[in-house]
Structures are given as C-alpha cells and as structure tokens.
Amino acid sequence: MQEKIDNIIERVKTEILNASNKQELIQINAKYLGKSGELSLLMRGLKDLSPAEKPKMGAILNQARDQVLALVRQKEEVLNDQELAQRINNEHVDITMPVKPLQVGTLHPIEIIQRDLIEYFVSQGFSVMDGREVETDYYCFEALNVPKDHPARDAQDTFYFDAEKLLRVHTSATQIKTMESRTPPIKMISTGRVYRVDEVDATHSPMFNQFEILVVDENVTMSDLKGMLENLAKHLFGEKTQIRLRPSYFPFTEPSIEVDATCTHCGGKGCPVCKQTGFIELLGAGMVHPNVLKNCKIDPNKYMGFAAGLGLDRIAMIKYGINDIRDLYDGDVNFLKQFR
Ligand code: PHE
C-alpha cells in the first residue's frame, strides 16, 4: 500500500511540475482527489480493511491527501504569480514613447470669416438675426420692392418649390423679418447660405454665403453707410485699405452702390488679381428704399436706413488667395486645413 501511495505522490509531483496553467491543475486535482480520483477510491476502500489496519492506513492516506493538496496549492500560487507578472508586462506603458500627434480640426475659411464678422458687428451693438434658406416669394422679393414682373428677378432666378416657396436668393429677406418684428432703432446682421441659378465655374456657384447688414434709425445718412463700409474694409483687409463707391441698382435701396476695395494683392497699383484696375469688388449696399420701410410699417418720413450685403465666399477667396470657389465646397480636408 505504502508503495502504491508513494507512486501516486511521485506521479502527482511530476504532473504538477509539468502543468502550465490552472486548467491542467484542476484536472490533476480531480484525477487524484475528485469523486473517483485515485486517492479518493483508496480512501473509500478503507471500510473493507480490518479494524487493526484501518487507523494506520487511514492516517497514511490522510497524509497523502494533505500532501497532494499542498502541492496543488503551491503550484496554484506559482501560476497566479506568473499570470500577474504577465499581465503587468502586457499592460506596461512605455512613457518614453513618442506621442501620436493629435488631429485637431480647423474651421472652414467661410466659417472663419463669418465668425470674425459676427464678432466685429456684435461688438458694435448689432443683433444677429436668423433667417431661413427656404423662404417665401414675399420676403425674398415682394416686400423688398421686387414685384412679380420686375426684371431684377431674372438676375436672381432660383429653385421654386411652388408659387410661393423658394430657396432664398439673398439674406435680405431677413431685413424684412427684422423690421416687422422690431421697432427702430434697428442694428442687425444676418448670415447664411443663399441660392441662385448659375453655371458652376471658378467664380460662380449656385450656392454661396452672404452676410447682411441693416441699420434703421432717425437721421441715418449715406455718410454713416460710407463710414461703416470704410471701417469694415479696413477690418477685413488692413488699415491701408481704401474703398471706392460706384452707383448701382437694387430695387430695395435708393440710392444703391457697389463698393470696391483697394486690391489686397497690389495695394491699388494694378495686378493680375484685380485685372490691373487696382480695385476688387466687395459688396452691394444702399439706403433702404422708402417702399421697403413702408412694407414693414416703418414711417419713411421719420426713419431712414442703410443696408449692405456681402458674399463671404468672395471675401474668403480674396483674403486667402483662393482662385477657385469650388475649392471651398469640395470638402478636401488637405486643402481646407491650411486655413486658421
Ligand atoms: N441683396 C443684394 C444681393 O444679393 C445685396 C444687397 C444687400 C444690396 C443689401 C443692397 C443692400 O446682391
């Protein structure tokens, strides 16, 4: 019997030595100490021994069982330590490794100009008004002194959803909404996408971004408008920038002007950017037409106003030297991330 037990212990020792994971250890444990394990079977056989042999054999078997248990536990601890060491090794962070550069997005050039202008005007007491891209014929044209048969509509054709609803051709629609909902003095700006039927080329897009400015108060004059425009041009393109006013026509302003700024590229001397004229077209503006004030129930004998609308795409192109408007809309991240 003793021999048999010694043999078992020997086998347990080698098997445990060779065990490389907990699963194997559990199997060894079951093989010897489980329900029908070798040692368990021997213990169960005790009952058939003579009363004289029983205690002796019992003691030997108990000792053997304790020994096997101790061996299994010992190995379990070794395996636990190994597992922990391996985990620590795997999860080890090398703090000396170079960091991956963080990809920080940049603002779209139009967004940069838009935010800058909003800040510029808000700091002067202007309110920012929200408009809609889907507008009605009334707010886009009628109320702005452009009746249905007016030839000015030809130059501003757009997408019509039905006889009334259309994609707005300018942010000027928001002028009307503001004058309807507020009483003078009014100082407002509004910005967003506008739509016009156009062939796409380097300088034309059927969708672009406008920035609208409106001031209505008593004693507002053309020289106020001119001063505002001069400051605006300097803000956008630098202190040396000068402006030039040309007579123009918009149904909703009278008089109407087209505003040019000295070329940012050559400073006014003449170069390919300004087609040798020394000037670049900046925006359209004028004194609010009395009919427009009347349409908004503002007394034109008491109040006057000026308005201006500029294309943010144009400003972005001039400011950043972008030659093709399509670059603004292609969504090429490599191109767009140059602008900050
Ligand atoms: N709405 C005009 C346009 O789209 C611009 C403009 C705005 C002109 C305000 C005068 C006054 O061209």
Side-chain angles (χ1 to χ4, degrees):
M1 190 54 147
Q2 183 67 51
E3 216 172 286
K4 212 174 187 176
I5 289 171
D6 286 347
N7 173 272
I8 288 177
I9 300 289
E10 272 319 300
R11 275 190 284 130
V12 169
K13 276 185 182 162
T14 32
E15 281 174 36
I16 282 186
L17 195 70
N18 292 333
S20 57
N21 58 48
K22 280 196 189 159
Q23 197 53 41
E24 281 173 40
L25 204 56
I26 289 167
Q27 274 163 14
I28 295 166
N29 194 60
K31 187 172 165 195
Y32 296 98
L33 299 176
K35 238 186 190 169
S36 41
E38 281 187 48
L39 273 174
S40 310
L41 289 178
L42 286 178
M43 288 177 115
R44 231 175 286 156
L46 277 177
K47 63 181 187 321
D48 304 325
L49 296 179
S50 69
E53 266 182 312
K54 226 185 235 174
K56 205 175 128 216
M57 281 315 295
I60 292 174
L61 280 172
N62 275 342
Q63 209 196 348
R65 185 200 54 202
D66 289 348
Q67 209 180 339
V68 173
L69 264 180
L71 286 168
V72 169
R73 291 227 177 90
Q74 227 178 355
K75 181 73 178 197
E76 197 177 6
E77 259 172 49
V78 172
L79 287 176
N80 278 344
D81 287 352
Q82 274 176 6
E83 215 173 74
L84 184 67
Q86 202 166 25
R87 257 185 66 191
I88 290 174
N89 197 36
N90 286 348
E91 292 171 14
H92 170 77
V93 178
D94 182 356
I95 55 162
T96 65
M97 266 182 38
V99 286
K100 275 194 201 141
L102 205 60
Q103 288 282 343
V104 181
T106 52
L107 292 176
H108 192 280
I110 290 177
E111 182 72 23
I112 299 174
I113 308 277
Q114 203 170 54
R115 287 191 187 191
D116 172 70
L117 283 179
I118 289 174
E119 201 180 302
Y120 175 77
F121 280 102
V122 165
S123 74
Q124 295 175 45
F126 282 73
S127 311
V128 184
M129 300 300 282
D130 243 344
R132 299 179 179 164
E133 287 175 42
V134 177
E135 222 4 297
T136 61
D137 185 276
Y138 179 76
Y139 285 105
C140 221
F141 295 122
E142 296 283 328
L144 283 161
N145 206 30
V146 191
K148 289 228 156 42
D149 54 1
H150 198 289
R153 288 200 179 206
D154 286 350
Q156 299 195 331
D157 199 7
T158 183
F159 182 85
Y160 286 78
F161 296 92
D162 54 38
E164 261 304 300
K165 277 198 232 69
L166 45 85
L167 286 176
R168 67 175 173 188
V169 300
H170 50 193
T171 44
S172 299
T174 321
Q175 283 187 31
I176 303 299
K177 299 213 160 155
T178 309
M179 287 190 277
E180 278 181 352
S181 63
R182 297 194 171 186
T183 47
I186 290 169
K187 286 167 85 178
M188 80 100 199
I189 51 171
S190 188
T191 176
R193 279 190 278 264
V194 300
Y195 304 83
R196 281 178 206 179
V197 172
D198 227 335
E199 292 290 330
V200 180
D201 64 25
T203 52
H204 294 88
S205 162
M207 187 281 290
F208 58 102
N209 291 265
Q210 268 196 338
F211 192 94
E212 191 84 13
I213 306 155
L214 171 72
V215 172
V216 182
D217 203 347
E218 291 175 43
N219 306 317
V220 172
T221 67
M222 189 87 178
S223 62
D224 294 318
L225 170 60
K226 194 178 170 214
M228 189 275 287
L229 293 170
E230 238 164 38
N231 286 335
L232 176 61
K234 287 184 197 304
H235 171 75
L236 283 171
F237 303 121
E239 274 307 308
K240 290 207 184 102
T241 312
Q242 290 185 333
I243 56 167
R244 174 177 79 177
L245 309 185
R246 285 180 288 120
S248 183
Y249 173 77
F250 299 104
F252 34 91
T253 46
E254 180 59 37
S256 301
I257 51 171
E258 207 75 52
V259 184
D260 302 333
T262 40
C263 176
T264 48
H265 199 69
C266 62
K269 286 190 214 70
C271 71
V273 172
C274 55
K275 299 194 187 91
Q276 307 303 333
T277 62
F279 284 94
I280 38 179
E281 261 182 59
L282 200 56
L283 55 92
M287 300 305 292
V288 180
H289 196 291
N291 286 352
V292 175
L293 293 175
K294 268 189 239 162
N295 289 339
C296 302
K297 309 214 161 36
I298 292 176
D299 182 0
N301 294 318
K302 186 169 179 203
Y303 293 105
M304 284 171 89
F306 65 73
L310 58 152
L312 294 177
D313 307 61
R314 255 192 83 71
I315 307 289
M317 288 170 76
I318 296 168
K319 195 153 175 148
Y320 294 116
I322 299 169
N323 296 324
D324 195 321
I325 194 169
R326 290 167 289 200
D327 287 338
L328 292 172
Y329 299 113
D330 280 350
D332 178 349
V333 176
N334 276 332
F335 172 77
L336 293 174
K337 75 180 176 193
Q338 318 173 60
F339 308 101
R340 277 161 210 275

PDB file of all heavy atoms in Angstrom, residues 148-172:
ATOM      1  N   LYS A 148     -43.706  90.821 -58.872  1.00  0.00           N
ATOM      2  CA  LYS A 148     -43.578  89.579 -59.660  1.00  0.00           C
ATOM      3  C   LYS A 148     -43.016  89.783 -61.067  1.00  0.00           C
ATOM      4  O   LYS A 148     -42.259  88.958 -61.555  1.00  0.00           O
ATOM      5  CB  LYS A 148     -44.942  88.894 -59.755  1.00  0.00           C
ATOM      6  CG  LYS A 148     -45.378  88.285 -58.438  1.00  0.00           C
ATOM      7  CD  LYS A 148     -45.857  86.851 -58.634  1.00  0.00           C
ATOM      8  CE  LYS A 148     -45.753  86.002 -57.390  1.00  0.00           C
ATOM      9  NZ  LYS A 148     -46.147  86.583 -56.129  1.00  0.00           N
ATOM     10  N   ASP A 149     -43.385  90.903 -61.711  1.00  0.00           N
ATOM     11  CA  ASP A 149     -42.946  91.083 -63.104  1.00  0.00           C
ATOM     12  C   ASP A 149     -41.671  91.927 -63.218  1.00  0.00           C
ATOM     13  O   ASP A 149     -41.301  92.384 -64.286  1.00  0.00           O
ATOM     14  CB  ASP A 149     -44.086  91.740 -63.915  1.00  0.00           C
ATOM     15  CG  ASP A 149     -44.551  93.040 -63.256  1.00  0.00           C
ATOM     16  OD1 ASP A 149     -43.969  93.411 -62.198  1.00  0.00           O
ATOM     17  OD2 ASP A 149     -45.477  93.681 -63.789  1.00  0.00           O
ATOM     18  N   HIS A 150     -40.998  92.136 -62.092  1.00  0.00           N
ATOM     19  CA  HIS A 150     -39.827  93.015 -62.109  1.00  0.00           C
ATOM     20  C   HIS A 150     -38.637  92.345 -62.813  1.00  0.00           C
ATOM     21  O   HIS A 150     -38.319  91.190 -62.528  1.00  0.00           O
ATOM     22  CB  HIS A 150     -39.434  93.360 -60.664  1.00  0.00           C
ATOM     23  CG  HIS A 150     -38.547  94.563 -60.555  1.00  0.00           C
ATOM     24  ND1 HIS A 150     -37.237  94.547 -60.958  1.00  0.00           N
ATOM     25  CD2 HIS A 150     -38.801  95.821 -60.104  1.00  0.00           C
ATOM     26  CE1 HIS A 150     -36.708  95.750 -60.754  1.00  0.00           C
ATOM     27  NE2 HIS A 150     -37.642  96.535 -60.231  1.00  0.00           N
ATOM     28  N   PRO A 151     -38.004  93.065 -63.737  1.00  0.00           N
ATOM     29  CA  PRO A 151     -36.880  92.450 -64.481  1.00  0.00           C
ATOM     30  C   PRO A 151     -35.719  92.026 -63.583  1.00  0.00           C
ATOM     31  O   PRO A 151     -34.949  91.138 -63.952  1.00  0.00           O
ATOM     32  CB  PRO A 151     -36.444  93.541 -65.459  1.00  0.00           C
ATOM     33  CG  PRO A 151     -37.122  94.799 -65.013  1.00  0.00           C
ATOM     34  CD  PRO A 151     -38.311  94.415 -64.205  1.00  0.00           C
ATOM     35  N   ALA A 152     -35.601  92.630 -62.375  1.00  0.00           N
ATOM     36  CA  ALA A 152     -34.487  92.272 -61.483  1.00  0.00           C
ATOM     37  C   ALA A 152     -34.556  90.799 -61.090  1.00  0.00           C
ATOM     38  O   ALA A 152     -33.562  90.210 -60.669  1.00  0.00           O
ATOM     39  CB  ALA A 152     -34.504  93.143 -60.233  1.00  0.00           C
ATOM     40  N   ARG A 153     -35.745  90.209 -61.253  1.00  0.00           N
ATOM     41  CA  ARG A 153     -35.872  88.800 -60.875  1.00  0.00           C
ATOM     42  C   ARG A 153     -35.072  87.872 -61.789  1.00  0.00           C
ATOM     43  O   ARG A 153     -34.668  86.788 -61.381  1.00  0.00           O
ATOM     44  CB  ARG A 153     -37.340  88.382 -60.898  1.00  0.00           C
ATOM     45  CG  ARG A 153     -38.118  88.978 -59.744  1.00  0.00           C
ATOM     46  CD  ARG A 153     -39.377  88.186 -59.524  1.00  0.00           C
ATOM     47  NE  ARG A 153     -40.127  88.729 -58.405  1.00  0.00           N
ATOM     48  CZ  ARG A 153     -40.964  88.019 -57.663  1.00  0.00           C
ATOM     49  NH1 ARG A 153     -41.142  86.740 -57.947  1.00  0.00           N
ATOM     50  NH2 ARG A 153     -41.603  88.561 -56.669  1.00  0.00           N
ATOM     51  N   ASP A 154     -34.882  88.334 -63.042  1.00  0.00           N
ATOM     52  CA  ASP A 154     -34.148  87.492 -63.998  1.00  0.00           C
ATOM     53  C   ASP A 154     -32.739  87.172 -63.517  1.00  0.00           C
ATOM     54  O   ASP A 154     -32.248  86.069 -63.702  1.00  0.00           O
ATOM     55  CB  ASP A 154     -34.055  88.204 -65.363  1.00  0.00           C
ATOM     56  CG  ASP A 154     -35.397  88.162 -66.072  1.00  0.00           C
ATOM     57  OD1 ASP A 154     -36.285  87.422 -65.585  1.00  0.00           O
ATOM     58  OD2 ASP A 154     -35.545  88.879 -67.076  1.00  0.00           O
ATOM     59  N   ALA A 155     -32.117  88.182 -62.905  1.00  0.00           N
ATOM     60  CA  ALA A 155     -30.727  88.007 -62.464  1.00  0.00           C
ATOM     61  C   ALA A 155     -30.653  87.182 -61.187  1.00  0.00           C
ATOM     62  O   ALA A 155     -29.578  86.778 -60.760  1.00  0.00           O
ATOM     63  CB  ALA A 155     -30.083  89.367 -62.239  1.00  0.00           C
ATOM     64  N   GLN A 156     -31.796  86.955 -60.564  1.00  0.00           N
ATOM     65  CA  GLN A 156     -31.806  86.221 -59.305  1.00  0.00           C
ATOM     66  C   GLN A 156     -32.792  85.069 -59.369  1.00  0.00           C
ATOM     67  O   GLN A 156     -33.656  84.930 -58.524  1.00  0.00           O
ATOM     68  CB  GLN A 156     -32.200  87.148 -58.151  1.00  0.00           C
ATOM     69  CG  GLN A 156     -31.233  88.301 -57.962  1.00  0.00           C
ATOM     70  CD  GLN A 156     -31.424  88.984 -56.629  1.00  0.00           C
ATOM     71  OE1 GLN A 156     -32.509  88.998 -56.075  1.00  0.00           O
ATOM     72  NE2 GLN A 156     -30.351  89.539 -56.089  1.00  0.00           N
ATOM     73  N   ASP A 157     -32.658  84.261 -60.422  1.00  0.00           N
ATOM     74  CA  ASP A 157     -33.558  83.115 -60.533  1.00  0.00           C
ATOM     75  C   ASP A 157     -33.121  82.067 -59.508  1.00  0.00           C
ATOM     76  O   ASP A 157     -31.949  81.996 -59.128  1.00  0.00           O
ATOM     77  CB  ASP A 157     -33.497  82.530 -61.946  1.00  0.00           C
ATOM     78  CG  ASP A 157     -34.717  81.669 -62.228  1.00  0.00           C
ATOM     79  OD1 ASP A 157     -35.647  81.646 -61.394  1.00  0.00           O
ATOM     80  OD2 ASP A 157     -34.730  81.007 -63.275  1.00  0.00           O
ATOM     81  N   THR A 158     -34.089  81.278 -59.057  1.00  0.00           N
ATOM     82  CA  THR A 158     -33.751  80.307 -58.027  1.00  0.00           C
ATOM     83  C   THR A 158     -34.632  79.079 -58.154  1.00  0.00           C
ATOM     84  O   THR A 158     -35.401  78.941 -59.116  1.00  0.00           O
ATOM     85  CB  THR A 158     -33.887  80.936 -56.621  1.00  0.00           C
ATOM     86  OG1 THR A 158     -33.482  79.980 -55.654  1.00  0.00           O
ATOM     87  CG2 THR A 158     -35.313  81.369 -56.331  1.00  0.00           C
ATOM     88  N   PHE A 159     -34.543  78.184 -57.202  1.00  0.00           N
ATOM     89  CA  PHE A 159     -35.357  76.978 -57.225  1.00  0.00           C
ATOM     90  C   PHE A 159     -36.668  77.241 -56.505  1.00  0.00           C
ATOM     91  O   PHE A 159     -36.675  77.642 -55.357  1.00  0.00           O
ATOM     92  CB  PHE A 159     -34.607  75.830 -56.543  1.00  0.00           C
ATOM     93  CG  PHE A 159     -35.352  74.531 -56.563  1.00  0.00           C
ATOM     94  CD1 PHE A 159     -35.276  73.680 -57.650  1.00  0.00           C
ATOM     95  CD2 PHE A 159     -36.158  74.175 -55.482  1.00  0.00           C
ATOM     96  CE1 PHE A 159     -35.982  72.496 -57.672  1.00  0.00           C
ATOM     97  CE2 PHE A 159     -36.867  72.989 -55.496  1.00  0.00           C
ATOM     98  CZ  PHE A 159     -36.781  72.148 -56.595  1.00  0.00           C
ATOM     99  N   TYR A 160     -37.779  77.036 -57.211  1.00  0.00           N
ATOM    100  CA  TYR A 160     -39.099  77.241 -56.609  1.00  0.00           C
ATOM    101  C   TYR A 160     -39.714  75.896 -56.218  1.00  0.00           C
ATOM    102  O   TYR A 160     -39.766  74.979 -57.032  1.00  0.00           O
ATOM    103  CB  TYR A 160     -40.044  77.946 -57.598  1.00  0.00           C
ATOM    104  CG  TYR A 160     -39.728  79.418 -57.765  1.00  0.00           C
ATOM    105  CD1 TYR A 160     -38.665  79.835 -58.572  1.00  0.00           C
ATOM    106  CD2 TYR A 160     -40.481  80.385 -57.095  1.00  0.00           C
ATOM    107  CE1 TYR A 160     -38.370  81.176 -58.698  1.00  0.00           C
ATOM    108  CE2 TYR A 160     -40.185  81.726 -57.233  1.00  0.00           C
ATOM    109  CZ  TYR A 160     -39.134  82.118 -58.036  1.00  0.00           C
ATOM    110  OH  TYR A 160     -38.836  83.449 -58.159  1.00  0.00           O
ATOM    111  N   PHE A 161     -40.164  75.808 -54.963  1.00  0.00           N
ATOM    112  CA  PHE A 161     -40.864  74.591 -54.520  1.00  0.00           C
ATOM    113  C   PHE A 161     -42.303  74.623 -55.019  1.00  0.00           C
ATOM    114  O   PHE A 161     -42.876  73.618 -55.396  1.00  0.00           O
ATOM    115  CB  PHE A 161     -40.847  74.478 -52.991  1.00  0.00           C
ATOM    116  CG  PHE A 161     -39.458  74.324 -52.442  1.00  0.00           C
ATOM    117  CD1 PHE A 161     -38.724  75.440 -52.062  1.00  0.00           C
ATOM    118  CD2 PHE A 161     -38.878  73.066 -52.330  1.00  0.00           C
ATOM    119  CE1 PHE A 161     -37.441  75.306 -51.576  1.00  0.00           C
ATOM    120  CE2 PHE A 161     -37.590  72.929 -51.834  1.00  0.00           C
ATOM    121  CZ  PHE A 161     -36.872  74.060 -51.464  1.00  0.00           C
ATOM    122  N   ASP A 162     -42.890  75.834 -54.983  1.00  0.00           N
ATOM    123  CA  ASP A 162     -44.207  76.076 -55.576  1.00  0.00           C
ATOM    124  C   ASP A 162     -44.270  77.572 -55.858  1.00  0.00           C
ATOM    125  O   ASP A 162     -43.229  78.240 -55.827  1.00  0.00           O
ATOM    126  CB  ASP A 162     -45.334  75.589 -54.649  1.00  0.00           C
ATOM    127  CG  ASP A 162     -45.240  76.189 -53.249  1.00  0.00           C
ATOM    128  OD1 ASP A 162     -44.873  77.381 -53.137  1.00  0.00           O
ATOM    129  OD2 ASP A 162     -45.528  75.475 -52.268  1.00  0.00           O
ATOM    130  N   ALA A 163     -45.448  78.123 -56.106  1.00  0.00           N
ATOM    131  CA  ALA A 163     -45.548  79.544 -56.492  1.00  0.00           C
ATOM    132  C   ALA A 163     -45.035  80.473 -55.391  1.00  0.00           C
ATOM    133  O   ALA A 163     -44.571  81.569 -55.667  1.00  0.00           O
ATOM    134  CB  ALA A 163     -47.000  79.883 -56.835  1.00  0.00           C
ATOM    135  N   GLU A 164     -45.079  80.042 -54.149  1.00  0.00           N
ATOM    136  CA  GLU A 164     -44.694  80.897 -53.025  1.00  0.00           C
ATOM    137  C   GLU A 164     -43.328  80.550 -52.422  1.00  0.00           C
ATOM    138  O   GLU A 164     -42.534  81.425 -52.110  1.00  0.00           O
ATOM    139  CB  GLU A 164     -45.761  80.825 -51.924  1.00  0.00           C
ATOM    140  CG  GLU A 164     -46.751  81.982 -51.930  1.00  0.00           C
ATOM    141  CD  GLU A 164     -46.070  83.343 -51.833  1.00  0.00           C
ATOM    142  OE1 GLU A 164     -45.381  83.578 -50.838  1.00  0.00           O
ATOM    143  OE2 GLU A 164     -46.214  84.167 -52.774  1.00  0.00           O
ATOM    144  N   LYS A 165     -43.075  79.260 -52.275  1.00  0.00           N
ATOM    145  CA  LYS A 165     -41.852  78.851 -51.560  1.00  0.00           C
ATOM    146  C   LYS A 165     -40.669  78.683 -52.499  1.00  0.00           C
ATOM    147  O   LYS A 165     -40.781  78.106 -53.575  1.00  0.00           O
ATOM    148  CB  LYS A 165     -42.101  77.531 -50.819  1.00  0.00           C
ATOM    149  CG  LYS A 165     -42.773  77.738 -49.475  1.00  0.00           C
ATOM    150  CD  LYS A 165     -42.583  76.499 -48.631  1.00  0.00           C
ATOM    151  CE  LYS A 165     -43.886  75.973 -48.060  1.00  0.00           C
ATOM    152  NZ  LYS A 165     -44.804  75.403 -49.021  1.00  0.00           N
ATOM    153  N   LEU A 166     -39.521  79.180 -52.053  1.00  0.00           N
ATOM    154  CA  LEU A 166     -38.326  79.114 -52.900  1.00  0.00           C
ATOM    155  C   LEU A 166     -37.065  79.077 -52.040  1.00  0.00           C
ATOM    156  O   LEU A 166     -37.124  79.335 -50.835  1.00  0.00           O
ATOM    157  CB  LEU A 166     -38.302  80.347 -53.816  1.00  0.00           C
ATOM    158  CG  LEU A 166     -38.614  81.704 -53.165  1.00  0.00           C
ATOM    159  CD1 LEU A 166     -37.375  82.310 -52.545  1.00  0.00           C
ATOM    160  CD2 LEU A 166     -39.178  82.647 -54.209  1.00  0.00           C
ATOM    161  N   LEU A 167     -35.954  78.749 -52.665  1.00  0.00           N
ATOM    162  CA  LEU A 167     -34.665  78.850 -51.970  1.00  0.00           C
ATOM    163  C   LEU A 167     -34.263  80.319 -52.037  1.00  0.00           C
ATOM    164  O   LEU A 167     -34.226  80.909 -53.117  1.00  0.00           O
ATOM    165  CB  LEU A 167     -33.612  77.986 -52.659  1.00  0.00           C
ATOM    166  CG  LEU A 167     -33.755  76.473 -52.446  1.00  0.00           C
ATOM    167  CD1 LEU A 167     -32.697  75.726 -53.263  1.00  0.00           C
ATOM    168  CD2 LEU A 167     -33.632  76.099 -50.976  1.00  0.00           C
ATOM    169  N   ARG A 168     -33.975  80.917 -50.893  1.00  0.00           N
ATOM    170  CA  ARG A 168     -33.726  82.358 -50.881  1.00  0.00           C
ATOM    171  C   ARG A 168     -32.526  82.723 -51.753  1.00  0.00           C
ATOM    172  O   ARG A 168     -31.540  81.987 -51.804  1.00  0.00           O
ATOM    173  CB  ARG A 168     -33.498  82.846 -49.451  1.00  0.00           C
ATOM    174  CG  ARG A 168     -32.221  82.327 -48.825  1.00  0.00           C
ATOM    175  CD  ARG A 168     -31.991  82.946 -47.466  1.00  0.00           C
ATOM    176  NE  ARG A 168     -30.844  82.324 -46.804  1.00  0.00           N
ATOM    177  CZ  ARG A 168     -30.500  82.565 -45.549  1.00  0.00           C
ATOM    178  NH1 ARG A 168     -31.210  83.395 -44.817  1.00  0.00           N
ATOM    179  NH2 ARG A 168     -29.458  81.975 -45.022  1.00  0.00           N
ATOM    180  N   VAL A 169     -32.647  83.878 -52.441  1.00  0.00           N
ATOM    181  CA  VAL A 169     -31.569  84.308 -53.323  1.00  0.00           C
ATOM    182  C   VAL A 169     -30.624  85.261 -52.607  1.00  0.00           C
ATOM    183  O   VAL A 169     -29.546  85.571 -53.111  1.00  0.00           O
ATOM    184  CB  VAL A 169     -32.109  84.980 -54.600  1.00  0.00           C
ATOM    185  CG1 VAL A 169     -32.988  84.008 -55.366  1.00  0.00           C
ATOM    186  CG2 VAL A 169     -32.867  86.255 -54.266  1.00  0.00           C
ATOM    187  N   HIS A 170     -31.057  85.763 -51.466  1.00  0.00           N
ATOM    188  CA  HIS A 170     -30.194  86.644 -50.679  1.00  0.00           C
ATOM    189  C   HIS A 170     -30.656  86.668 -49.227  1.00  0.00           C
ATOM    190  O   HIS A 170     -31.776  86.262 -48.905  1.00  0.00           O
ATOM    191  CB  HIS A 170     -30.142  88.067 -51.245  1.00  0.00           C
ATOM    192  CG  HIS A 170     -31.494  88.679 -51.535  1.00  0.00           C
ATOM    193  ND1 HIS A 170     -31.643  89.816 -52.266  1.00  0.00           N
ATOM    194  CD2 HIS A 170     -32.748  88.300 -51.187  1.00  0.00           C
ATOM    195  CE1 HIS A 170     -32.932  90.117 -52.360  1.00  0.00           C
ATOM    196  NE2 HIS A 170     -33.618  89.203 -51.703  1.00  0.00           N
ATOM    197  N   THR A 171     -29.767  87.129 -48.359  1.00  0.00           N
ATOM    198  CA  THR A 171     -30.127  87.206 -46.945  1.00  0.00           C
ATOM    199  C   THR A 171     -30.965  88.458 -46.669  1.00  0.00           C
ATOM    200  O   THR A 171     -31.382  88.679 -45.540  1.00  0.00           O
ATOM    201  CB  THR A 171     -28.855  87.223 -46.060  1.00  0.00           C
ATOM    202  OG1 THR A 171     -27.902  88.117 -46.645  1.00  0.00           O
ATOM    203  CG2 THR A 171     -28.243  85.845 -45.929  1.00  0.00           C
ATOM    204  N   SER A 172     -31.225  89.262 -47.696  1.00  0.00           N
ATOM    205  CA  SER A 172     -32.006  90.495 -47.496  1.00  0.00           C
ATOM    206  C   SER A 172     -33.410  90.189 -46.969  1.00  0.00           C
ATOM    207  O   SER A 172     -34.049  91.062 -46.369  1.00  0.00           O
ATOM    208  CB  SER A 172     -32.097  91.285 -48.806  1.00  0.00           C
ATOM    209  OG  SER A 172     -30.814  91.655 -49.230  1.00  0.00           O
TER     210      SER A 172
END
